[in-house]
Amino acid sequence: MNDELLKLGSHTFGSRLILGTGKFSDTETMIRAVEASGTELVTVALRRFNRDKPNDDLCAPLAKLSAVRLMPNTSGAINAKEAVRAAQLGRELSGSPFVKVEIHPNPHHLMPDPVETYFAAKELAADGFLVLPYIPADPVLAKKLEDVGCAAVMPLGAAIGSGGGLSTLEMIKLIIRDSNIPVIVDAGLRAPSEAACAMEMGCAAVLVNSAIAAAQDPVAMAEAFALGVQTGFEARQAGLMLQSEFAVATSPLTSFLS
Amino acid sequence: MKTTLPEWIDPAPWLAREYRVVDVEHAIGTESPDESTLAALLSPAAAEFLEPMAARAQAITRRHFGQTIQLYIPLYLSSYCSNGCAYCGFASDRHTDRHTLPFDAVEKELDSIKTMGFEEILLLTGERSSRADIDYLRTCVRLAADRFHTVAIEVFPMEQDEYHMLAEAGCVSVTMYQETYDPEPYDRMHRWGPKKDFFNRLDAPARALAGGLRFAGLGALLGLADPYHDMIALYRHTRHLQKTYWQAGVSLSFPRIRHEAGGFTAPHPVDEKMLAQIIFAFRICLPDVPLTLSTREGAPFRDGIAGIGINKMSIASRTTVGGYSGNAPEEGQFDINDGRSLETFQAMLHGKNLEPVFKNWEKLYRLTA
Ligand code: SF4
């Protein structure tokens, strides 16, 4: 077993940084950021596929990058039925077995719907997709999604685009502890140091979009995130030292042992 | 016989390493325990750290279980057994007077126990036999479920559909000690009988959980084989079940061979200090897993470790068939070293500011047919 590689289904990836491709000022910057990040997996919203209008299409330029695999996502869908349809169309258009199930019925805060996400993920996994659901940081939901055959779970660190960092830290730790599939923090990260922190905790990868797209220099920030992810991963492998000394008892508890 | 353990439970990678004082210090304080943590805490280097381990174990026990000790009581239904476990007083070559409780006697025993105040009962038998088969057991589970909220069994390994039948009869928990996780001494200790099948036993808790039981109790009989090997495998077994049957509750016990019938001497004796070290180590590594200690251990040890790692105990137990209500034969499955009454034990717990808990589950949540 090679611990260096991220595994999703039977696919392996050298980079543990996954990029979202929306919100960039222009396609060229997005492509340069993708290249600078060293990522091997990017997610593209089906709603940003536009075959009829090449300069409005995110799919074709990304498909040209040979080092990068595409993962269509279902953002824009507000229920399981729509997400399943979007996933099927995305697979048809991109040829990718991966799908990021993303269902946020509220267009303002964009929080994922756990119930609809569960049903969509279940159906798509049964249909042979490698499903990566974007979910609230809920350890029970994470196990239920594992049970229905998801390839990974992607709990949010904070609300999409909020830059809130790892506000769900304790829940993500619990998800990691009991998960048999990769746990990928998706959404909320603002700084490469937070990506490093997620990796130090034991996340298998992180997915970043806004923090790169909305940086002053997206290309440089993409590279910085790559370094952050790598640093955190290496630190995890190296084993962190303790935060504080262990407690010293005030009165002996073991005097009952002869 | 296949003698290698599958990867998911094999402790070998952690046995090969040496653990130093720095590893132990790290392990005591860690917030993300794993196999290396347990191995370090079980190592000889950790023997000098019993006091800080106890302090940490107590803090964790309080955090997860509060100032409580759950109580349960065993009921031996049958002492017939076709197995040849070298360490057991009920083994088929030991000349004990054998009994199986008829149903009216089961009811009498259950009523006696109920009067004492218990709400969790553990039903035990030897190997499957014509006297104590699945139908007998199902009836006993029903009789117990009529009276107690929590009915647990510690019997022979069964198939998934049989576990399901017992779940429908009101059973919620199975205890199945692997005895040792090392296939080679396992084969030697289990001289004959169905219990010789190591892997059938190993998979039994998983079958029980798949069959609808909610709780599984695991353990290894300390003294039979290398405790480092067995305890790391036990930890891995626990984690495996927790990750696979994530809705199930797993609990652990730490039975230790004392003086069994038949003059068996433990090849790898575990003394009280080592037993305490094992319990502290498990509490640190599995903070939210119930850890149980039976009356095999003596009162001073049990009183000392109650609340410092251990959060569940039996008391007032008889290991003889028919021991609660009548004329029980002398020889039990193992010797009881804490023979105090429930009242005396409760008084001890209160003296340590620990609250005895009798009912910790509700029969409403049972699987119904
Ligand atoms: S330990 Fe159990 S199976 Fe083995 S001889 Fe004793 S009663 Fe029978």
Side-chain angles (χ1 to χ4, degrees):
Chain A
M1 188 174 116
N2 189 344
D3 281 339
E4 298 296 319
L5 297 179
L6 168 66
K7 285 191 196 62
L8 297 171
S10 59
H11 302 254
T12 57
F13 300 85
S15 165
R16 289 172 181 271
L17 176 58
I18 303 171
L19 249 59
T21 52
K23 300 187 185 174
F24 282 86
S25 53
D26 57 80
T27 306
E28 196 210 318
T29 309
M30 184 270 283
I31 293 291
R32 282 175 50 225
V34 165
E35 287 176 326
S37 73
T39 186
E40 294 169 18
L41 184 64
V42 297
T43 181
V44 194
L46 179 73
R47 60 188 160 82
R48 301 296 308 274
F49 283 41
N50 192 348
R51 287 201 159 171
D52 302 334
K53 201 159 183 271
N55 59 4
D56 190 47
D57 179 31
L58 295 185
C59 181
L62 284 164
K64 286 197 199 107
L65 303 177
S66 59
V68 174
R69 269 171 282 188
L70 291 185
M71 172 164 63
N73 74 60
T74 64
S75 102
I78 59 164
N79 58 37
K81 212 170 141 197
E82 291 180 6
V84 167
R85 279 211 309 261
Q88 284 160 345
L89 184 55
R91 176 163 70 180
E92 216 177 288
L93 295 176
S94 70
S96 169
F98 297 101
V99 63
K100 173 181 168 185
V101 174
E102 180 173 350
I103 302 175
H104 25 70
N106 179 310
H108 304 291
H109 61 50
L110 302 178
M111 290 308 238
D113 180 331
V115 177
E116 295 295 323
T117 301
Y118 172 79
F119 287 116
K122 187 175 174 184
E123 190 174 336
L124 291 168
D127 189 20
F129 280 89
L130 290 167
V131 181
L132 288 83
Y134 165 61
I135 57 168
D138 179 332
V140 172
L141 178 63
K143 284 307 280 190
K144 291 194 148 192
L145 287 164
E146 179 184 322
D147 285 353
V148 298
C150 288
V153 283
M154 304 209 290
L156 53 84
I160 292 185
S162 69
L166 289 168
S167 65
T168 58
L169 186 101
E170 291 306 321
M171 290 298 114
I172 290 176
K173 279 188 192 164
L174 269 185
I175 295 173
I176 292 170
R177 189 184 80 174
D178 286 344
S179 185
N180 289 309
I181 54 177
V183 178
I184 299 169
V185 166
D186 179 0
L189 302 189
R190 187 179 68 95
S193 56
E194 291 159 357
C197 181
M199 298 303 292
E200 284 163 5
M201 277 160 48
C203 287
V206 300
L207 193 156
V208 184
N209 189 350
S210 307
I212 293 174
Q216 285 188 13
D217 183 343
V219 179
M221 188 57 86
E223 213 178 321
F225 262 98
L227 292 169
V229 167
Q230 188 60 22
T231 300
F233 179 68
E234 285 180 22
R236 170 80 181 181
Q237 304 286 91
L240 299 169
M241 74 157 225
L242 275 186
Q243 211 160 17
S244 62
E245 287 301 302
F246 50 84
V248 179
T250 45
S251 63
L253 293 169
T254 53
S255 50
F256 68 97
L257 298 169
S258 45
Chain B
M1 194 195 75
K2 188 166 64 167
T3 52
T4 46
L5 288 173
E7 191 284 328
W8 63 265
I9 195 166
D10 193 358
W14 294 273
L15 297 174
R17 289 188 221 156
E18 214 180 294
Y19 298 89
R20 298 159 300 154
V21 164
V22 287
D23 300 316
V24 176
E25 288 175 344
H26 187 283
I28 294 173
T30 188
E31 288 292 337
S32 43
D34 57 16
E35 284 88 345
S36 306
T37 314
L38 185 73
L41 294 176
L42 295 176
S43 72
E48 301 306 313
F49 287 82
L50 280 187
E51 189 58 36
M53 281 173 72
R56 175 103 167 112
Q58 184 185 48
I60 293 172
T61 306
R62 281 192 182 153
R63 202 201 295 162
H64 286 277
F65 301 96
Q67 302 280 93
T68 66
I69 297 287
Q70 278 181 58
L71 299 180
Y72 74 100
I73 189 161
L75 172 59
Y76 282 76
L77 297 171
S78 173
S79 55
Y80 280 92
C81 193
S82 57
N83 285 318
C85 308
Y87 45 83
C88 175
F90 287 171
S92 68
D93 60 338
R94 307 258 147 76
H95 296 102
T96 52
D97 216 0
R98 292 182 194 271
H99 303 268
T100 298
L101 288 180
F103 296 129
D104 58 338
V106 172
E107 292 195 84
K108 236 171 109 189
E109 291 278 288
L110 291 170
D111 289 335
S112 300
I113 292 171
K114 179 76 183 181
T115 313
M116 295 161 79
F118 288 96
E119 276 304 342
E120 173 165 352
I121 189 156
L122 175 65
L123 305 177
L124 298 95
T125 67
E127 186 49 66
R128 188 194 297 254
S129 70
S130 55
R131 289 185 179 82
D133 59 6
I134 180 81
D135 292 325
Y136 170 80
L137 201 55
R138 181 160 59 166
T139 304
C140 292
V141 165
R142 277 223 185 88
L143 295 173
D146 287 343
R147 295 164 171 82
F148 296 86
H149 279 276
T150 304
V151 180
I153 50 167
E154 184 174 343
V155 300
F156 43 87
M158 287 177 271
E159 297 309 319
Q160 186 176 320
D161 57 336
E162 295 177 311
Y163 284 117
H164 189 80
M165 261 166 54
L166 294 185
E168 285 180 341
C171 181
V172 295
S173 176
V174 65
T175 293
M176 178 71 60
Y177 300 148
Q178 189 59 29
E179 318 298 11
T180 169
Y181 284 94
D182 192 341
E184 192 274 321
Y186 184 96
D187 196 51
R188 255 185 301 122
M189 300 288 169
H190 301 97
R191 298 168 298 171
W192 55 77
K195 198 169 167 180
K196 259 197 129 33
D197 190 341
F198 177 94
F199 290 97
N200 181 48
R201 192 172 188 84
L202 186 64
D203 289 333
R207 292 197 298 272
L209 297 175
L213 297 195
R214 301 276 289 264
F215 304 95
L218 309 181
L221 186 52
L222 292 163
L224 291 188
D226 178 10
Y228 301 108
H229 179 286
D230 279 352
M231 292 298 103
I232 295 167
L234 175 62
Y235 173 85
R236 302 203 75 205
H237 195 184
T238 307
R239 292 297 294 133
H240 179 77
L241 289 180
Q242 285 182 316
K243 286 183 165 194
T244 314
Y245 300 94
W246 57 275
Q247 287 150 306
V250 183
S251 63
L252 299 181
S253 301
F254 302 94
R256 176 167 72 118
I257 303 184
R258 312 272 309 219
H259 317 284
E260 306 303 325
F264 177 81
T265 351
H268 294 265
V270 166
D271 64 15
E272 281 195 353
K273 277 196 172 146
M274 181 71 196
L275 179 59
Q277 186 178 341
I278 287 169
I279 291 167
F280 299 153
F282 270 92
R283 176 47 72 227
I284 293 168
C285 292
L286 295 169
D288 48 20
V289 168
L291 302 183
T292 300
L293 198 68
S294 78
T295 53
R296 275 177 190 263
E297 297 301 329
F301 185 85
R302 283 173 30 106
D303 296 0
I305 208 152
I308 315 180
I310 294 297
N311 67 291
K312 185 167 178 178
M313 297 172 112
S314 53
I315 187 62
S317 310
R318 304 274 179 278
T319 62
T320 51
V321 174
Y324 294 104
S325 57
N327 323 314
E330 293 289 288
E331 195 111 0
Q333 193 200 22
F334 59 83
D335 288 345
I336 286 173
N337 291 291
D338 182 353
R340 288 175 291 180
S341 69
L342 176 61
E343 292 67 37
T344 314
F345 190 69
Q346 277 185 270
M348 179 284 292
L349 291 178
H350 282 133
K352 295 175 75 81
N353 198 24
L354 291 166
E355 175 73 11
V357 173
F358 290 90
K359 177 170 179 277
N360 201 37
W361 204 71
E362 166 58 51
K363 60 174 188 268
L364 180 81
Y365 307 135
R366 273 179 199 154
L367 201 69
T368 42

